[in-house]
Amino acid sequence: SLLPPFLCFLATALKAPLAHAGPGAEEPPWCPYKVLGGEGTAGGRLCFRPPARGFQCAAGACRAHRSPGGALAANVLANGSVLLQWGPPRPAAGLRGFALNCSWDGTYTRFPCDSVELGAACRDYLLPEAHGSVRYRLCLQPRYAPPRPAPPAQCVEFRLEPAAMRDIVVAMTAVGGSICVMLVFICLLVAYITENLMSPARGGAGAATAA
């Protein structure tokens, strides 16, 4: 007998940053996928996740990057995750699935990331944690049953804002606010000292003149 496949659910991770279809919409099919090694080695677990239907990249909380042909979009979210989206390929007959290859630029060469095999029903994929200050290149290629050849891959490149830079901006904002408060306090203290220490001296000088 065949053992049931391992099931991996990312619904919890998707609820916060992504928007789904309304309650009255038809329930979308599950997207099966398998994560392979960086060299495309065999293995990995068969996982399932719900599609992110109805998601739109909102300004301020998301930044969209598109492939030259426009078929593949990488939506970089504010929490550091990246949602990939693509439309149904043409022709649809004989489609077996998709191959997603990831790589990033190093100092002298390009290093492979995890490769992903996705089912024919998949139209998006979530990278939950992408590294900042790294330029990514993601290529999606539809796979068809023989003898139809695979069409050219759609590739998109993007770079995430480094997390350290976001922390520095937040820290500078907090420090700037603290400095403003300290300056106001110092100004009030100087005014208080000037008012209370200089007044008796002026009063004593006036009394001596009168005598």
Side-chain angles (χ1 to χ4, degrees), residues 51-79:
R53 300 290 177 87
F55 172 79
Q56 293 182 353
C57 189
C62 174
R63 189 170 66 256
H65 304 267
R66 291 191 173 275
S67 61
L72 178 63
N75 303 297
V76 181
L77 304 177
N79 61 0

Side-chain angles (χ1 to χ4, degrees), residues 13 27 31 39 42 90 93 101-102 108 116 118 121 131 142 145 152 155 161 187 189 192 198 208 211:
E27 192 69 20
C31 168
E39 300 293 338
R90 295 179 181 178
N101 295 315
C102 170
Y108 301 103
V116 184
L118 301 110
H131 299 285
C155 299
E161 179 185 353
C187 291
L189 183 61
Y192 175 79
M198 297 300 294

